Structures are given as C-alpha cells and as structure tokens.
Amino acid sequence: MKATDRAMVTPMSTSTSRRGSGPALPRGDGRAAARQSTLREHNLAVVLQRIVAAHAAGSPLSRAAIAGEVGLARATVSDLVDRLIQARLVTELEPLTASRAGRPAVPLAPAARSVVGLGLSVGIDHLSALVLDLTGLTVSERVVEVDLRGCDPERTFARLADLAAETVRAVTLEGMHVAGACVALPGLVSRESAMLRYAPNLDWRDIAVDEALTGHPGLATLRVAAANDADLSARTEVEERRRRDGRPAESQNFLFAYGAVGIGSAVVLGGRVFEGMHGWSGEIGHVVVDPEGRPCHCGARGCLEPYAGRDAMVAAAGLPPSTTTTRLADAAGVPGPAADAVAQAARALGQAAATVVNVVDVDEVVLGGAYATLHDRLAPGVLAELERRAVIARWAEVRVSRALGGPSSPALGAALTVLDDVIADPSAWLGAAT
C-alpha cells in the first residue's frame, strides 16, 4: 500500500442535483402554500448559487449586483448574504475602487476551507479520500493503492472508514466543517438509498454503504451517500469542461464511457447525469455485442465488457495481468497482438456506443478512465462505428473526445455532489458551520 497527497483546483458548479439523504421533496399535487421561511430558504439558495457561479467565472458579484440579477430588494439580498457569511458559506473580498461617489462595492465569494465535501472512492486497485471546498480547491487527497480483487467487503469498508475518519479528523482540526460524504463505487448503486446492489468485478452484493461507514466512531454523525463511479466521473467532466472551456453546464450533452477493469458509462443531458428510475442507467458494459460470445462477470454472454474492459484487452494482447494501461497503449502503437486487441475493443465499444447514441440522441462520446489513456488508439475505431451505425451521423457530426478529468474523477465527482447539496439548500447548514 502507498498513500500519496495531491492537490488540484476545480471551480464549483451550480448544479442542484441531490444524492443520498436530505430534506424530502413535498408530496401531493405540488400546490402547497409557500411560507415565509420557505421563500427565505429558496432565496438563500438563489443567492449562494449566483455567488458560486460568479466566482467560478472569475467575476465576483457585490450585494447590489446580485440584487439586480435575481430581482430582489438590496436590503433583502444584504440580509441573505449576512446569513451566508455567518454560516461560513460566503466571505467578503477586498472592496473595489470606487468609480464614483459613495461606498465602494464589496465583491463576494464562496468561503474557502470552511464547509467542505468529502469524496470517497472504491476501485479495483485503490481506496481514496478527497476533500473539496466551495471555491473548488481540493484541500486534501489521500490515495491508498491496493488490489481489491477477492477482498472481503466488510474489511474493505472498514479500511475505507479508517481513511475517511482520518481525513475528517485532519480537516476538522484545521477549522473545516465536513458537510457530508459520497462514495464512488464500481457497480449498481440504489438511487433511493446508499446501497451497493451489485459490483460484478468485486463480487459484492447488497452492502449498506452508509451503515458500513457511520459505524466507525469517527464518522457516526456523517451524512453518507453513494453513487456509481462512472456517473460521478461524468459529473466531474461537466465541471472540467465548464472550467477549462467555458462551456455552460446546460449546453453539455454527451455519452461518457468510463473504462476500467469493468466498463461504466453515463448519459449527460443538459449538464446533468441521467440516473434512471433506480440510479442504474448507463450500464454500457452489459450491452450485448455478440449474443453467443464470451462469458461476462454479470452471468450473461457477449457483453461489451469481456471485449473492451481493460483486463480483457490486456489478456487478448497476450500481456501479463499486471500490465499498466500506459504500457498497453504503447504496445498497441505497433502492429501485433496488442494493436489487434485494442482495435477489436474499439469496434465493440463503437457498436455499443452507437446503440446508446441512437436511443438518447447525443452527438459526442467522451472516453474516460483507462479509455482516456487509450484514446488515440481507440478513438478512430469507435468513431468509424459511430459514423456507420448512428442514425444522427447522416445529418450531424459525431465526435469522440478524451475526458478532461484525471484519475481522481470519481472521488472529485463525489465531493462535488456533496457541495451541490449545500448550494441547493444552504439553510440546512446555517447552524451547523458556526
């Protein structure tokens, strides 16, 4: 095992999607009366969202500017901002130089190293814990490299709980408040609860992730959610595209294919990950590419995963099981078994991707995880299948892109979802952070 510390800067999104436990949505016909407190909670969220978005765009707003943008009275906005400052969610920057008589404007920004989100990740080859603050700064990251194939889930989650508790303790001593945790997992995760239903490559079933973590004395009061690692990596991809290229989240639509030992994917529509009824959408690894083909860990035959999973490519290339993705990419650069194995994987991946593209009507496939490393070897074959099989290709250009997020994408996406909840409902943290 080896633990490393890394840091990166990623501005926050203003997405308001929610995961895990939290305030329940109102039931009934949707015509419940709005109380004064309900309006205040809504307006708090609107103001915080504007502050976070403006900061991420590099143009922080003053109270007066926010009032003009959201259509609230300046006095109302000032009161809301004061509440957010008291809750350590927002801070004031240095006043701007006044261009005319009167008090200079005071820009606002999300508070750094105050309320933070904890993203945890369980992979085939690692455990990790990442802490992100509202400014988008990764204030702590620890990665433990370990082979989890065949590992007992109870022992694994005990180790993850130790790692999480150590991380929470360290950032708490520095004055930060951990708003909650989200765990990225390589399998089917129930949308209704933090329950891992099935992780085929780990052979884990029906694990209550929140109970496994909050049973640790250092995490007993922590709010825990869980989600699929590909979904969370797609959440990171949306943020990275917005940050690096200035692409608004609402304009982003793509199929995210996440390569690892297994294969995950996510459909992103309008900047949001489409989860489906139970949170299990995007299982492209189990799209059938050959009905009578190779057996899959899921119990079926001919799924994409036995053809295009990382381990499947390594085996078909005749390379040792310990071969890294980078080494596989290098070997596939010259004619031979590795090049043939990757080309076969590209064809299968392109066929499966075309099926999804035809169903959901997007024009871009983003290759993440191990596929990002193999992008130059995979992309031509994937694109050829898309152009041959995707109906949209007759009238619009289809594209295959390399993901912008790196190895930390699942944990980073997990931390982002925790902070998404804070931004969507800051009233829930008004007393917690003081």
Side-chain angles (χ1 to χ4, degrees):
M1 296 186 298
K2 180 176 69 175
T4 60
D5 289 310
R6 299 197 291 262
M8 62 185 291
V9 176
T10 308
M12 283 294 305
S13 162
T14 58
S15 169
T16 57
S17 61
R18 303 189 64 80
R19 293 181 183 268
S21 58
L25 293 173
R27 297 182 179 273
D29 61 7
R31 294 180 293 180
R35 298 185 301 273
Q36 184 65 33
S37 60
T38 304
L39 289 174
R40 184 169 58 250
E41 291 169 2
H42 170 77
N43 290 336
L44 275 167
V46 169
V47 170
L48 182 56
Q49 288 166 14
R50 289 303 306 130
I51 291 171
V52 172
H55 173 268
S59 302
L61 300 173
S62 65
R63 288 170 169 84
I66 294 171
E69 286 197 5
V70 304
L72 292 171
R74 290 191 183 187
T76 300
V77 170
S78 185
D79 175 67
L80 294 171
V81 169
D82 287 343
R83 289 173 180 268
L84 293 170
I85 291 174
Q86 184 180 13
R88 298 176 60 209
L89 296 171
V90 167
T91 189
E92 294 180 320
L93 303 178
E94 290 296 320
L96 299 176
T97 302
S99 59
R100 56 186 179 183
R103 296 177 60 184
V106 178
L108 302 164
R113 304 176 71 88
S114 176
V115 175
V116 296
L118 174 62
L120 304 171
S121 178
V122 178
I124 301 296
D125 57 0
H126 76 275
L127 299 172
S128 70
L130 180 149
V131 178
L132 190 75
D133 74 9
L134 284 166
T135 71
L137 175 69
T138 297
V139 298
S140 172
E141 182 177 14
R142 291 174 176 260
V143 179
V144 178
E145 297 176 359
V146 56
D147 186 354
L148 295 179
R149 293 175 179 84
C151 285
D152 175 68
E154 184 175 347
R155 289 183 56 197
T156 300
F157 278 99
R159 295 173 71 178
L160 182 66
D162 287 340
L163 179 63
E166 178 184 347
T167 302
V168 169
R169 182 167 54 253
V171 299
T172 300
L173 287 173
E174 294 183 29
M176 288 173 256
H177 178 87
V178 180
C182 181
V183 188
L185 297 163
L188 299 177
V189 183
S190 173
R191 181 179 180 181
E192 293 81 14
S193 64
M195 177 72 74
L196 174 64
R197 290 300 182 188
Y198 183 40
N201 290 298
L202 293 171
D203 196 26
W204 292 353
R205 291 174 172 82
D206 296 326
I207 298 171
V209 178
D210 53 349
E211 294 178 9
L213 293 182
T214 56
H216 190 290
L219 306 173
T221 61
L222 192 67
R223 182 171 176 248
V224 177
N228 174 263
D229 55 358
D231 286 353
L232 293 172
S233 293
R235 170 68 184 85
T236 298
E237 184 67 16
V238 170
E239 186 62 23
E240 288 293 319
R241 288 171 167 231
R242 187 203 56 73
R243 178 177 73 89
R244 298 191 196 186
D245 302 335
R247 280 180 271 187
E250 57 271 18
S251 71
Q252 297 187 37
N253 303 276
F254 54 85
L255 168 65
F256 185 82
Y258 184 75
V261 173
I263 304 172
S265 71
V267 175
V268 174
L269 302 174
R272 295 176 180 271
V273 176
F274 175 72
E275 297 176 322
M277 287 182 61
H278 305 96
W280 301 347
S281 69
E283 287 298 321
I284 195 174
H286 303 290
V287 170
V288 176
V289 294
D290 182 356
E292 303 302 323
R294 300 172 185 170
C296 180
H297 286 293
C298 74
R301 300 187 71 89
C303 296
L304 173 64
E305 198 166 284
Y307 295 88
R310 195 196 71 84
D311 283 7
M313 286 186 278
V314 168
L319 297 171
S322 59
T323 299
T324 65
T325 305
T326 300
R327 175 72 186 92
L328 174 63
D330 290 342
V334 296
D340 293 343
V342 173
Q344 181 185 43
R347 285 193 297 272
L349 179 59
Q351 291 165 10
T355 298
V356 178
V357 166
N358 283 335
V359 172
V360 300
D361 186 23
V362 294
D363 61 7
E364 182 178 10
V365 176
V366 179
L367 303 182
Y371 289 160
T373 303
L374 290 163
H375 172 272
D376 293 347
R377 312 298 182 209
L378 289 171
V382 173
L383 182 60
E385 293 298 324
L386 287 171
E387 291 176 338
R388 182 180 300 118
R389 300 174 185 276
V391 174
I392 192 176
R394 301 176 188 175
W395 297 280
E397 179 186 6
V398 289
R399 294 163 292 154
V400 179
S401 307
R402 189 197 310 268
L404 299 178
S408 300
S409 288
L412 182 57
L416 282 166
T417 64
V418 173
L419 294 181
D420 285 344
D421 282 356
V422 174
I423 296 168
D425 186 15
S427 62
W429 309 100
L430 292 185
T434 56

